[in-house]
Amino acid sequence: MAIKKNNNQAKNIERDATYYKKKFWKIFFYALGSIALFFLFASWGLLGSMPSFEDLENPDSNLATEIISSDGVVLGKYFEKNRSQLKYADLPKNLVQALVATEDARFYEHSGIDGRGTLRAIASVGTSGGASTLTQQLAKQLFHGEGSKFLPFRIVQKVKEWIIAIRLERQYTKNEIIAMYCNVYDFGNNSVGVSSAAKTYFSKEPKDLTIDESAMLVGMFKNSGLYNPVRNPEGVKNRRNVVLLQMEKGKIITEDQKVKLQSLPIVLHFKLETHKDGTATYFREYLRDYMKKWVEENKKPDGSDYDIYKDGLKIYTTIDSRMQLHAEEAVAAHMANLQQQFFIEAKRNKNAPFVNISTKETERILNQAMKSSHRWEVMKSQDKSDDEIVKSFNEKTKMTVFSWKGERDTIMTPLDSIRYYKHFLQSGLMAMEPQTGNIKAWVGGINYKYFQYDHVGQGARQVGSTFKPFVYATAIEQLNMSPCDSIIDSPFTIPVGRHHVTESWTPKNSDNRYRGMVTLKRALANSINTISAKLMDKVGPEAVVELTHKLGVKSEIPLQPSIALGAVEITVEDMVAAYSTFANQGVYTKPQFLSRIEDKSGTIIYEPIPESHDVLNKDIAFAVIKLLEGVTEGGSGDRLRTTYGGDGDNRWTGYPYQFRNPIAGKTGTTQNQSDGWFMGMVPNLVTGVWVGCEDRSARFKSITYGQGATAALPVWAYFMKLCYADSGLKVSKENFNRPPNLSIKVDCYSAPKVKDTTDIQQDTGEFEL
């Protein structure tokens, strides 16, 4: 019986073992099948969307659009997040080595998933560190970010990371994966990618990073919010030293190097990139407005709109970064100098900066500025009444204001700050190649952060005597005159009814004297008003307006004889284009600021077509050039060549200039010194400069400082001296191109020059309204 019982027990045990064995394998295969189905469903997107082949081929990286100068310098960017694309070859070797050593030591051995690391993480339940490879981290960055903290969802996301990582490894090389990862990581402070981070934290290009700087950035890959060098320098240093330790373990650096590098402090050259800082700020804003219209008219191949903040476009401009910096330096140097004089005069003016206007008019100007301010807009959006807002403008508050010696903290009422800013002289400068129309420099004001109005492309101002060459050109063309022809400088009146005049018009010379018989060349050199008026009377305002529009001036010009003295509002951009026609042998070329636009793959998606048309024949254009050369040889612009001083010479920034090469130019000053102009030309560069306050009633009292020869000419001279010193720019010092068989007499006899300081300073081009 015992034997039978033992046999039955053995059979039962054997049966139970077989049962449990079958049960185990059944569960095992079900589990294996479930996992396989889980992965399969995840890869099909049944557990949430998965990136397509096209997505993997072109991951959405929200790249910043770059504005690139003609000499290859990035002038600025348009972005929501400041992200720049780098190729693997552009990454510093020490950064790549530090990244692999710290984040994924077996990166070059696995195919997206590190099996050894994954098993270790599972066995230790995550206590020995995570198992994410660089490829998995890239997948997370590209396609779902940090993900959910809810465990079931996190498991799904982890599986999707594995699948995406494997696909990425099939799609890209190891080097491409490294580059992509370095391009998409958010380093904080509006810097996405190693390129932006290097510029933000160290003001360097990535290739120039030192080992310890690269180690700091690699340390930030762990958690850029926690390891932010601006807020947590000690924590960042500790993390950097961990990276250096890993580099030593990986035999990338020696122990001695590690010890030396770990002892170094964290040294930042922190500069937060914003749209309001950097080079060519006014031009970049002008370009942004242009691009808003461009994207409406130019679509992607699939019909969707380009996004200049995300699509990583490369906008190649005609701006030369070197010339742009020279222009900005020239404007800053002279405007800071001239502003000192303006404040000196303002101290003696109870209604500063306004001159000869009533209290009522002053209140109107200040109230208009108050209602146009950002403060008013914000308070209106908060449903504040007008009375409440006005009251707040009269309450003292802490603020930071602009000054030429740097920003300064102060306490004043917002209304007082408006009056303070009205004191500042503004400037506009544009330089252009006359033969190509390529704009090389664009300075729209003195400081974009505080003064956003663009005085090159946006603001039209009265041009004064700089309009006179258009009158002279019309006379040479229509009356067959030459620069050497003479005309009498004497009192002159256009009666009522002639040329649409409703009241008799008797223009006066600014110095109230008359010179008798003078050549056209001398008349323009000394900006004699009566001569311009007589020429206008001979050709009529219609002919002058027609020619001026052919020269590219888009402003509406009244058909009145007074336009001969500059009672016309024109932008700096249009004035430069018009003068360039004379330098380009009578051919108008439309100003151009774009060379081409490329998409993020480098494919050209837009190239502008240059626009030009004939305006004057070569002989007439050259005759005008010779007239304008007279201005700098013995007229209102001859301080470009002289070494002796005069009234206000301490405000001629950079003087003496001592130019010896041919220069064609024209100064201009409007009524009451509200606007000062200088248009200057050499054969391959035409530059226009305007100077004045935002309001025409804010101005210099005297002609000494308010005239174009003091206010604007020094900016041009300073700029050109910098350009000539920069040999790489190749700005011409040659003669203007003389047409063969010239039919117009341009070489006039000149008596020995007698210095006439009055002629130099009294270039007002004033007009009677």
Side-chain angles (χ1 to χ4, degrees):
M1 289 294 294
I3 293 171
K4 189 175 182 180
K5 187 176 182 179
N6 288 337
N7 287 338
N8 288 336
Q9 284 178 342
K11 287 178 182 179
N12 288 337
I13 290 170
E14 187 178 345
R15 188 170 59 249
D16 288 344
T18 303
Y19 171 78
Y20 285 115
K21 194 183 294 183
K22 288 180 180 179
K23 191 89 169 172
F24 168 78
W25 286 112
K26 192 175 184 181
I27 292 171
F28 175 79
F29 283 117
Y30 275 138
L32 200 61
S34 297
I35 292 170
L37 282 174
F38 185 72
F39 273 84
L40 198 59
F41 289 162
S43 67
W44 289 345
L46 298 178
L47 301 180
S49 62
M50 288 285 286
S52 64
F53 176 82
E54 289 75 17
D55 292 331
L56 292 173
E57 188 73 32
N58 299 291
D60 179 16
S61 50
N62 289 348
L63 291 173
T65 288
E66 294 183 337
I67 304 120
I68 302 169
S69 70
S70 61
D71 54 321
V73 174
V74 176
L75 298 172
K77 301 173 186 177
Y78 302 133
F79 55 83
E80 288 179 352
K81 288 211 167 187
N82 186 7
R83 175 177 285 157
S84 298
Q85 195 86 296
L86 278 179
K87 295 178 181 177
Y88 180 82
D90 300 324
L91 290 168
K93 184 178 179 182
N94 54 47
L95 186 140
V96 174
Q97 291 174 324
L99 179 61
V100 173
T102 306
E103 296 290 329
D104 190 355
R106 287 182 291 278
F107 174 70
Y108 294 103
E109 300 168 16
H110 62 67
S111 298
I113 300 174
D114 182 1
R116 198 191 314 175
T118 301
L119 290 174
R120 186 196 68 239
I122 293 171
S124 64
V125 200
T127 56
S128 63
S132 284
T133 62
L134 281 175
T135 318
Q136 287 174 250
Q137 292 179 47
L138 173 61
K140 181 169 67 175
Q141 291 284 335
L142 285 177
F143 299 110
H144 65 74
E146 283 304 310
S148 174
K149 296 190 183 301
F150 182 51
L151 184 59
F153 290 171
R154 185 70 195 101
I155 292 171
V156 171
Q157 287 168 343
K158 199 68 179 176
V159 169
K160 289 165 71 174
E161 276 176 31
W162 288 343
I163 296 169
I164 296 169
I166 292 169
R167 290 180 177 178
L168 286 171
E169 290 273 350
R170 290 175 181 169
Q171 191 74 21
Y172 297 100
T173 67
K174 291 287 187 179
N175 289 351
E176 287 172 334
I177 288 170
I178 287 278
M180 289 172 70
Y181 185 58
C182 287
N183 284 329
V184 302
Y185 190 78
D186 190 340
F187 287 88
N189 289 306
N190 217 18
S191 301
V192 179
V194 166
S195 178
S196 295
K199 290 171 185 171
T200 297
Y201 294 115
F202 302 113
S203 298
K204 286 184 176 183
E205 292 296 325
K207 61 184 174 59
D208 299 323
L209 291 172
T210 60
I211 294 176
D212 59 304
E213 289 168 344
S214 290
M216 189 201 90
L217 293 182
V218 169
M220 293 178 70
F221 277 106
K222 185 175 180 66
N223 185 331
S224 60
L226 175 61
Y227 298 112
N228 185 317
V230 178
R231 295 196 301 263
N232 182 16
E234 194 58 38
V236 169
K237 182 179 179 181
N238 293 337
R239 178 62 189 164
R240 179 204 65 182
N241 290 350
V242 170
V243 175
L244 292 169
L245 175 64
Q246 292 300 114
M247 293 178 76
E248 189 247 331
K249 286 181 179 177
K251 302 190 182 336
I252 299 162
I253 58 176
T254 65
E255 185 176 358
D256 288 343
Q257 283 180 300
K258 178 199 73 174
V259 172
K260 183 178 178 181
L261 292 169
Q262 285 181 335
S263 67
L264 295 175
I266 296 289
V267 179
L268 301 178
H269 294 281
F270 181 72
K271 185 179 179 183
L272 194 62
E273 285 194 77
T274 73
H275 299 300
K276 294 184 179 182
D277 296 324
T279 307
T281 45
Y282 290 92
F283 169 74
R284 280 156 39 202
E285 195 58 33
Y286 180 87
L287 179 61
R288 187 210 300 272
D289 285 340
Y290 171 85
M291 290 301 296
K292 287 177 183 176
K293 301 183 186 96
W294 183 88
V295 296
E296 292 175 3
E297 299 168 2
N298 298 269
K299 305 292 183 181
K300 291 181 180 179
D302 63 3
S304 62
D305 290 339
Y306 285 102
D307 188 332
I308 65 170
Y309 302 102
K310 295 181 178 180
D311 284 342
L313 303 179
K314 284 185 169 29
I315 305 174
Y316 289 88
T317 71
T318 61
I319 298 291
D320 187 292
S321 70
R322 299 159 297 180
M323 206 173 279
Q324 178 68 30
L325 288 172
H326 297 331
E328 290 178 5
E329 180 181 337
V331 168
H334 181 59
M335 299 310 293
N337 184 19
L338 196 62
Q339 189 68 51
Q340 292 180 42
Q341 185 64 38
F342 196 88
F343 278 129
I344 289 170
E345 293 190 10
K347 288 179 181 178
R348 301 191 295 268
N349 178 9
K350 292 181 180 179
N351 194 33
F354 310 111
V355 178
N356 295 339
I357 64 170
S358 65
T359 302
K360 185 177 180 180
E361 178 64 11
T362 300
E363 289 177 355
R364 185 194 67 79
I365 292 171
L366 294 177
N367 284 335
Q368 184 179 20
M370 184 168 58
K371 290 181 179 179
S372 301
S373 69
H374 179 66
R375 183 186 184 90
W376 184 282
E377 182 183 353
V378 170
M379 294 187 76
K380 264 296 182 185
S381 69
Q382 296 170 347
D383 295 325
K384 301 286 185 182
S385 68
D386 285 4
D387 289 341
E388 287 176 304
I389 299 173
V390 170
K391 183 181 178 183
S392 78
F393 270 86
N394 287 282
E395 295 173 350
K396 289 190 175 183
T397 183
K398 291 181 179 180
M399 62 179 71
T400 301
V401 297
F402 169 80
S403 85
W404 277 112
K405 293 181 179 178
E407 293 180 329
R408 62 186 183 89
D409 296 326
T410 187
I411 297 175
M412 65 170 75
T413 68
L415 190 59
D416 284 341
S417 75
I418 289 174
R419 189 185 279 265
Y420 169 73
Y421 282 127
K422 292 288 186 184
H423 281 73
F424 279 93
L425 292 160
Q426 299 295 325
S427 183
L429 178 153
M430 190 180 105
M432 182 177 115
E433 287 180 347
Q435 292 78 21
T436 63
N438 288 344
I439 297 171
K440 308 309 290 182
W442 179 303
V443 185
I446 59 173
N447 185 289
Y448 184 76
K449 182 177 179 181
Y450 287 91
F451 307 98
Q452 274 92 48
Y453 194 78
D454 183 356
H455 294 283
V456 170
Q458 191 176 6
R461 295 290 291 240
Q462 288 191 354
V463 295
S465 295
T466 55
F467 190 85
K468 290 176 180 176
F470 308 151
V471 180
Y472 280 66
T474 307
I476 293 172
E477 181 181 45
Q478 302 227 340
L479 306 176
N480 296 316
M481 299 185 76
S482 86
C484 302
D485 287 344
S486 296
I487 193 167
I488 297 176
D489 173 19
S490 61
F492 177 72
T493 298
I494 294 181
V496 173
R498 184 170 173 78
H499 300 312
H500 319 289
V501 170
T502 55
E503 292 182 15
S504 294
W505 183 54
T506 305
K508 297 178 182 177
N509 291 330
S510 59
D511 56 4
N512 291 313
R513 68 188 184 95
Y514 302 95
R515 297 164 178 80
M517 193 68 76
V518 294
T519 63
L520 290 191
K521 187 171 184 179
R522 187 186 172 203
L524 185 63
N526 293 296
S527 212
I528 300 173
N529 289 341
T530 59
I531 304 299
S532 296
K534 287 181 178 183
L535 293 175
M536 175 64 76
D537 182 52
K538 289 177 182 292
V539 300
E542 289 84 358
V544 175
V545 170
E546 183 182 358
L547 176 64
T548 304
H549 282 149
K550 284 182 180 178
L551 290 168
V553 173
K554 296 183 281 292
S555 305
E556 189 174 325
I557 305 173
L559 294 173
Q560 293 291 327
S562 61
I563 64 175
L565 309 187
V568 182
E569 293 188 348
I570 304 176
T571 64
V572 172
E573 181 182 12
D574 281 359
M575 287 297 287
V576 171
Y579 271 68
S580 291
T581 305
F582 303 133
N584 194 32
Q585 300 185 318
V587 178
Y588 167 81
T589 303
K590 184 179 179 180
Q592 188 150 295
F593 51 85
L594 278 182
S595 296
R596 68 185 186 278
I597 301 175
E598 295 178 357
D599 64 17
K600 65 182 177 183
S601 302
T603 303
I604 296 175
I605 56 176
Y606 178 75
E607 277 187 292
I609 300 171
E611 296 180 33
S612 64
H613 59 259
D614 292 338
V615 178
L616 300 166
N617 72 45
K618 294 180 180 180
D619 291 3
I620 295 172
F622 186 72
V624 176
I625 289 291
K626 297 306 287 185
L627 283 170
L628 294 169
E629 283 184 349
V631 175
T632 68
E633 291 167 353
S636 58
D638 79 343
R639 63 183 53 165
L640 291 170
R641 304 187 183 282
T642 61
T643 57
Y644 44 79
D647 289 343
D649 62 339
N650 60 321
R651 300 302 183 201
W652 304 345
T653 312
Y655 184 83
Y657 312 117
Q658 298 179 286
F659 292 111
R660 296 288 176 263
N661 56 292
I663 296 170
K666 185 70 190 81
T667 57
T669 312
T670 62
Q671 196 170 43
N672 296 324
Q673 302 81 243
S674 294
D675 306 272
W677 287 80
F678 185 73
M679 303 297 300
M681 299 191 283
V682 295
N684 65 349
L685 193 68
V686 177
T687 305
V689 181
W690 166 86
V691 171
C693 285
E694 182 182 281
D695 296 274
R696 290 184 55 82
S697 53
R699 56 183 174 80
F700 281 107
K701 284 185 177 181
S702 73
I703 190 70
T704 300
Y705 299 105
Q707 64 174 305
T710 307
L713 178 146
V715 175
W716 185 90
Y718 198 112
F719 169 62
M720 290 299 291
K721 284 178 78 172
L722 292 173
C723 288
Y724 281 135
D726 192 337
S727 59
L729 294 176
K730 295 182 172 55
V731 177
S732 175
K733 288 188 176 182
E734 303 301 315
N735 289 309
F736 286 88
N737 192 15
R738 186 184 183 104
N741 304 315
L742 182 65
S743 62
I744 300 174
K745 183 180 179 181
V746 297
D747 300 313
C748 315
Y749 167 76
S750 297
K753 183 182 172 186
V754 177
K755 176 63 182 171
D756 185 345
T757 57
T758 305
D759 282 352
I760 290 179
Q761 294 189 25
Q762 303 300 317
D763 169 45
T764 65
E766 290 189 89
F767 48 85
E768 303 286 332
L769 295 178

